[in-house]
Amino acid sequence: MFDTVFTTIGSTTQHLKVYNPYDQKVLISSVKLAKAETSNFRLNVNGVSSNEVKNLEIAPFDSLYIFVEVTIDPNGQNLPLVVKDSIEFVTNSNPQDVDLVAWGQDFKLVKGKIPKNTIWTNEKPYLVYTDAYVDSISSLTIQAGTKVYFHKEAGLHVEGRVVAKGTVENPIIFHGDRLETVYSNVPDQWDGISLYPGSKNNEFSNVEIKNANIGLLIGNVGEENSADVTLNNVKIQNMAYAGIFAMESGIKATNCLITNCGYYAVALLVSGNYEFNHSTIANYWPQYGFKTRTTPAVYIANVLNVAKDKKDYVGDIAKADFSNCIITGNVLDNNELYLKVNPDKIFNYKFERCVIQLDKTDVFKTSAQHYLNCFKIRPDSIFVDPYKKFNFELDSLSRAKDTANRTISKLYPTDLKGRDRFLDNGPDIGALERQEKKSK
C-alpha cells in the first residue's frame, strides 16, 4: 500500500521479503508484474531491476527482497485516483500474488518566477519543485483550502506581497511533498517562506506551515527597507532551525501556535516592531536524529554578530510586546526566554499576563515594568501531550487556564480553532482555549 503520491513525480520505495521456510532450496519460476510494461509500478527483485525475473533460487530458510516504486500519470481531474497492480509468483506451477495499491494526486507545477498578480486556487494542489519567486512589483493571492507542497530544498521567496487567507474550516497548507505517513512530522523537507526587505502588507490567516528549515524568514540585516507581515491563526511546526526568524522587520501575530524547532521557535533580531497576542510558543524539539537543543524558544536581541571578524549589527527594537502568550519548552536549563541588549540602542519590550518558563523569576520584580502579571511555570505542566502526540491543548490543571487578561482577550474573542474564549470561567492564555463548564 502506497500513500498518496504526486502524479509524474514518483513515490518512496516500498519493499517486501519472500521467504523459503523449507529445509531445501526452492525454485521460483517467475516473479512479474501482472500488467507488465504497461504497469505504473516498477520492480527490483533481489538486485535486478526488471518487471519480470525468472528462475529465482532461494536457499533453505533464506529469503530475498523485492523493492517496488510507482509513478502515476496525470488524469486531468481534481480528485485523487487509485492505481492497482499485483506481483505474480509461480512456484512449482502454483500461482501466488501480492496486491499493489497506490493513490495519486494531480497537481499544478510551479518553478521559478510567478506571473504578476497571480491567484492560486484550491482546485488542485500546487507543487513547488525548485523555488517560487514573487518579484517586487507582483503579488500572490492564495485562496482558502489551497494546498502548497514543496520539493526538497524548494521555497517561496517574496519581494512583493503574499496574501494567504484561509478559514478555520479550510486552512491553507504549506508542507513538504513527501505525503507518506512516516514523513508527517519530519523537519527540513523544504526551505520555508522568505519575505525579503521591502516586502510589505503580507498576510497569513488560517495557515499551516510545517516541516521546513525556517518557517518564516522575515527581513534581513543591513538593508534600507524592512519587511512586515500580519499573522492570524497560523500554525508553524517542526522546523529544523526556526519557526519565525525576523530581522529589522515588523510582525503582528495573533492566535499563533509555534512549536518544535531545532534552534528557536521565535527569534527577533537587531531592530523592528513586534507584537504577539494570544500565541503559544512551545519548543518541545523532539530531536529527529538532530542534536539536542540548547537555545531558548524565544530569543530577542537588538544586536547581532554574524562572524567573529565582522562588526556587530545593532538597531532599535521599537516594540517587542507579548500579551496573553505562553513561552515554554524542553530546554535543559529551563530558560525558554533570552534577551540580549545593547544598552546604546532602544530595546522596548513587554510581557503582559504571559506564562513563561524561566529558571529564575527575579526579573518579575527587578524589571516589573516589563513583566506585567506574568507567571512562571515548570516544564511539562501545561499541555495535554506535547511530546508524543504534539497536542498543545491545555491540560485541565494548566496554569494558563482561565487566567488571561480579559481586556486583551476581548480584542481576540475566538481562538486558533474558532472557539469562543468566554464560554467558561474565563479566557485562557495562549492560542488554544480549553472550554469547560462554568463553575457555579
Side-chain angles (χ1 to χ4, degrees):
M1 187 81 69
F2 290 77
D3 291 312
T4 303
V5 298
F6 289 109
T7 58
T8 75
I9 298 299
S11 73
T12 187
T13 301
Q14 298 276 32
H15 72 270
L16 61 140
K17 292 182 74 174
V18 182
Y19 294 92
N20 174 12
Y22 306 110
D23 60 1
Q24 52 187 311
K25 70 180 179 181
V26 168
L27 177 66
I28 302 176
S29 302
S30 69
V31 178
K32 67 178 182 178
L33 287 172
K35 294 183 180 180
E37 299 306 318
T38 64
S39 178
N40 293 91
F41 296 89
R42 299 178 299 281
L43 297 183
N44 184 299
V45 182
N46 212 33
V48 178
S49 295
S50 176
N51 287 348
E52 183 176 7
V53 178
K54 297 183 178 181
N55 299 322
L56 280 171
E57 281 192 3
I58 306 181
F61 306 113
D62 203 355
S63 61
L64 59 83
Y65 275 101
I66 298 178
F67 296 91
V68 189
E69 294 180 330
V70 62
T71 299
I72 300 175
D73 294 327
N75 64 348
Q77 301 177 11
N78 298 334
L79 297 176
L81 64 157
V82 62
V83 172
K84 298 181 180 180
D85 202 346
S86 64
I87 305 174
E88 295 182 342
F89 299 81
V90 178
T91 308
N92 297 327
S93 300
N94 296 316
Q96 295 173 292
D97 68 87
V98 173
D99 292 331
L100 304 174
V101 182
W103 279 268
Q105 173 68 63
D106 206 359
F107 64 93
K108 297 179 181 180
L109 183 64
V110 179
K111 295 174 68 176
K113 186 177 178 180
I114 296 173
K116 184 178 180 181
N117 302 333
T118 294
I119 298 175
W120 285 357
T121 65
N122 58 18
E123 296 173 345
K124 296 180 181 180
Y126 290 80
L127 176 60
V128 180
Y129 201 71
T130 52
D131 279 308
Y133 290 93
V134 181
D135 68 26
S136 59
I137 62 171
S138 299
S139 65
L140 171 63
T141 301
I142 304 176
Q143 291 184 347
T146 301
K147 297 179 179 179
V148 185
Y149 298 103
F150 295 82
H151 197 59
K152 182 67 175 175
E153 298 182 354
L156 176 61
H157 303 271
V158 182
E159 293 182 345
R161 183 189 183 204
V162 59
V163 177
K165 289 187 176 182
T167 65
V168 172
E169 297 78 14
N170 293 292
I172 294 169
I173 304 297
F174 295 96
H175 281 201
D177 67 351
R178 300 307 297 264
L179 305 185
E180 303 92 333
T181 303
V182 69
Y183 287 94
S184 61
N185 290 302
V186 176
D188 207 21
Q189 295 183 45
W190 56 291
D191 275 3
I193 300 172
S194 300
L195 306 178
Y196 290 105
S199 177
K200 299 287 188 180
N201 302 316
N202 296 289
E203 297 180 60
F204 291 83
S205 295
N206 294 291
V207 166
E208 181 177 302
I209 304 170
K210 194 173 180 182
N211 299 340
N213 183 17
I214 298 177
L216 279 174
L217 176 61
I218 307 166
N220 203 348
V221 291
E223 301 283 348
E224 292 184 2
N225 295 318
S226 63
D228 66 63
V229 63
T230 300
L231 307 173
N232 293 304
N233 294 23
V234 174
K235 292 195 288 185
I236 302 175
Q237 299 180 287
N238 301 335
M239 301 296 151
Y241 188 75
I244 295 175
F245 197 88
M247 298 168 286
E248 300 186 357
S249 55
I251 299 172
K252 183 173 182 180
T254 303
N255 282 339
C256 291
L257 176 65
I258 307 166
T259 69
N260 298 0
C261 304
Y263 286 82
Y264 310 101
V266 175
L268 312 175
L269 305 174
V270 183
S271 65
N273 196 308
Y274 307 104
E275 180 181 340
F276 287 77
N277 298 292
H278 269 295
S279 292
T280 297
I281 303 168
N283 199 359
Y284 289 79
W285 174 245
Q287 299 178 38
Y288 297 114
F290 295 83
K291 66 180 182 180
T292 303
R293 179 176 65 93
T294 58
T295 46
V298 175
Y299 178 62
I300 309 173
N302 63 353
V303 57
L304 175 66
N305 180 257
V306 294
K308 291 183 179 179
D309 58 343
K310 297 291 182 70
K311 186 178 180 180
D312 290 350
Y313 288 98
V314 294
D316 296 327
I317 291 185
K319 181 171 74 170
D321 288 357
F322 292 75
S323 300
N324 285 350
C325 290
I326 297 171
I327 298 173
T328 187
N330 63 345
V331 78
L332 295 179
D333 65 2
N334 293 338
N335 285 306
E336 291 290 6
L337 171 65
Y338 185 79
L339 309 178
K340 186 175 182 179
V341 182
N342 182 314
D344 297 327
K345 293 292 182 177
I346 295 172
F347 196 101
N348 290 327
Y349 67 95
K350 181 180 68 174
F351 296 89
E352 183 170 3
R353 206 66 173 179
C354 290
V355 174
I356 307 172
Q357 184 176 316
L358 292 171
D359 187 39
K360 298 178 181 179
T361 55
D362 295 347
V363 293
F364 288 179
K365 294 181 179 180
T366 60
S367 300
Q369 72 276 22
H370 296 294
Y371 299 89
L372 307 179
N373 301 311
C374 291
F375 306 107
K376 174 188 174 181
I377 57 167
R378 295 178 292 103
D380 309 325
S381 63
I382 196 164
F383 303 116
V384 172
D385 188 354
Y387 284 104
K388 294 182 180 179
K389 297 182 180 179
F390 309 127
N391 185 342
F392 294 94
E393 296 280 357
L394 297 182
D395 182 80
S396 60
L397 300 178
S398 174
R399 189 68 181 84
K401 192 166 68 70
D402 301 334
T403 54
N405 181 306
R406 298 177 71 93
T407 301
I408 295 170
S409 297
K410 287 179 181 178
L411 300 175
Y412 315 103
T414 57
D415 77 345
L416 174 63
K417 294 184 176 181
R419 298 175 295 198
D420 191 336
R421 286 195 157 97
F422 291 90
L423 290 182
D424 56 8
N425 293 323
D428 300 340
I429 295 173
L432 295 164
E433 178 74 16
R434 182 185 177 92
Q435 292 181 328
E436 299 177 336
K437 292 182 178 180
K438 283 187 176 182
S439 301
K440 293 183 179 179

